[in-house]
Amino acid sequence: MKISGAIAAPWFKLGETTTEHWQAMLRDNKAPWGELASPNLIITIPDSVMQQIKDPIAVMKLWETIIQGEMELAQLPQPFYRAQRLVLDEHMCAGAMHSGYPIMIHHSPSQRMISADVIADPRKLLTPSKGGANWGFFHELGHNMQNYDLVFDGTTEVSCNFFSLYMFDRLMGGRDGAHEGVSNEATMRLTKRYYDNGARYEDWVQEPFLGLIMFRQLQEAFGWETFKAFFRSYHEAALASPELRDMTQPEKRDMFVINFSKAAKRNLVPFFMKWGIPASGYAAGQVGDLKTWMPYNFPPAN
């Protein structure tokens, strides 16, 4: 293949490209786009964003910490078989961001999705934004980390947020300002409305932040290490029994309850049933020898 008239685009690789070389590339750049790469991530950004990056090493080291953190929660072997990709784009096919290869990211100040301003600025990336760009980055990466063997109806847009919460906990020391949907006010409002309306599964599946409350209760009670053990159990089961991927939705729910109960060493069938999540007699029998667990003051009486 012969190419003529091409323009070299700036390309930074963590561990190889020096800051001085990066600055020289930007100074002489004529290309509209460029990329920053690390072992687990490649970011494709326009020149206007690249010109603002004075310390690409700090930017990509932070992103490596983020990717490695999400992979650690998912219990995926590192490094991944290929780097994740983030691409800023003005023309999205779905939503403000969407997962996949690459993850596509829209820049829209009117929607607080100030992605271009945040993606390569460690200070802003580590600032809680009440559901802004950093939550969105963690959320879409979480979709890429999801194990669909354990994702049952109503949890596709819920279990990806395990990774958002994990990154706020591990990067920022807590969830204050992480997203309005996990605020105390939203938690009490969603929970009270749900139980006032009869706690029906068909309502639960319609509201991702309501669904996340249930899993937040499990995380607060049993910790992230229990989630890691739970995720590992699915990796091990898939290797031992590939046919498990053909489970029906009721079977997926049962398997979730059984596996999490075993990881937590508590019988969680009554807890899931209280939330309106159906579980079979088979699931109850599998964990019947474990001590039953239920959060205090749940459903909330106040």
Side-chain angles (χ1 to χ4, degrees):
M1 181 180 293
K2 183 178 180 180
I3 299 174
S4 61
I7 300 171
W11 187 73
F12 173 89
K13 185 173 183 180
L14 185 64
E16 294 186 11
T17 311
T18 65
T19 301
E20 292 73 23
H21 186 199
W22 170 254
Q23 292 171 347
M25 285 189 288
L26 294 187
R27 186 172 55 251
D28 302 327
N29 183 41
K30 301 295 190 296
W33 293 83
E35 293 188 328
L36 292 89
S38 64
N40 288 300
L41 181 70
I42 300 170
I43 303 176
T44 304
I45 50 180
D47 178 70
S48 59
V49 178
M50 288 190 296
Q51 294 293 341
Q52 301 174 35
I53 302 173
K54 306 305 179 186
D55 188 352
I57 295 175
V59 171
M60 294 313 293
K61 280 187 174 180
L62 176 55
W63 273 111
E64 270 296 294
T65 299
I66 292 168
I67 302 296
Q68 289 174 8
E70 296 214 5
M71 292 177 70
E72 166 65 19
L73 178 59
Q75 291 293 281
L76 294 173
Q78 301 186 34
F80 203 52
Y81 72 98
R82 68 179 178 192
Q84 301 285 330
R85 279 187 172 270
L86 301 179
V87 178
L88 287 173
D89 198 344
E90 292 291 333
H91 303 286
M92 299 288 292
C93 71
M97 298 185 187
H98 68 74
S99 60
Y101 187 81
I103 294 171
M104 301 301 296
I105 301 161
H106 183 50
H107 176 69
S108 176
S110 64
Q111 299 180 28
R112 293 186 294 110
M113 302 302 294
I114 48 176
S115 310
D117 301 331
V118 178
I119 196 168
D121 186 334
R123 181 181 58 82
K124 292 180 180 179
L125 193 53
L126 293 174
T127 301
S129 56
K130 295 184 177 180
N134 47 15
W135 176 279
F137 297 148
F138 305 155
H139 171 100
E140 301 304 346
L141 285 166
H143 273 306
N144 283 6
M145 301 291 169
Q146 278 175 318
N147 182 342
Y148 285 92
D149 291 351
L150 61 86
V151 176
F152 59 87
D153 279 348
T155 62
T156 301
E157 292 298 327
V158 178
S159 58
C160 62
N161 283 330
F162 298 169
F163 299 90
S164 299
L165 293 175
Y166 186 72
M167 295 320 301
F168 272 88
D169 285 355
R170 293 295 176 261
L171 282 177
M172 304 177 198
R175 304 169 189 178
D176 288 351
H179 196 292
E180 293 171 352
V182 298
S183 67
N184 292 344
E185 185 277 330
T187 298
M188 293 304 293
R189 172 173 48 81
L190 290 170
T191 304
K192 187 176 187 304
R193 185 177 66 192
Y194 180 63
Y195 281 95
D196 285 349
N197 291 337
R200 298 173 302 184
Y201 180 56
E202 56 265 33
D203 295 332
W204 187 88
V205 301
Q206 298 299 319
E207 176 50 69
F209 282 104
L210 172 68
L212 190 59
I213 294 169
M214 184 184 81
F215 296 108
R216 284 164 53 201
Q217 289 176 317
L218 293 174
Q219 191 279 320
E220 289 159 7
F222 302 109
W224 286 120
E225 294 307 312
T226 298
F227 272 75
K228 294 175 186 179
F230 170 69
F231 292 144
R232 282 198 304 275
S233 72
Y234 275 86
H235 298 321
E236 293 163 359
L239 290 172
S241 306
E243 68 276 7
L244 289 175
R245 295 192 171 177
D246 298 325
M247 287 186 293
T248 64
Q249 287 299 316
E251 289 171 337
K252 275 192 170 186
R253 290 195 301 268
D254 275 358
M255 190 61 67
F256 194 107
V257 175
I258 292 167
N259 285 349
F260 207 99
S261 292
K262 290 181 177 179
K265 299 180 173 59
R266 292 290 187 273
N267 179 354
L268 299 175
V269 171
F271 170 71
F272 278 84
M273 297 290 284
K274 181 68 72 173
W275 266 104
I277 312 300
S280 70
Y282 169 76
Q286 290 294 304
V287 298
D289 58 335
L290 299 173
K291 184 178 179 180
T292 300
W293 176 83
M294 191 72 68
Y296 174 72
N297 189 35
F298 178 71
N302 54 313

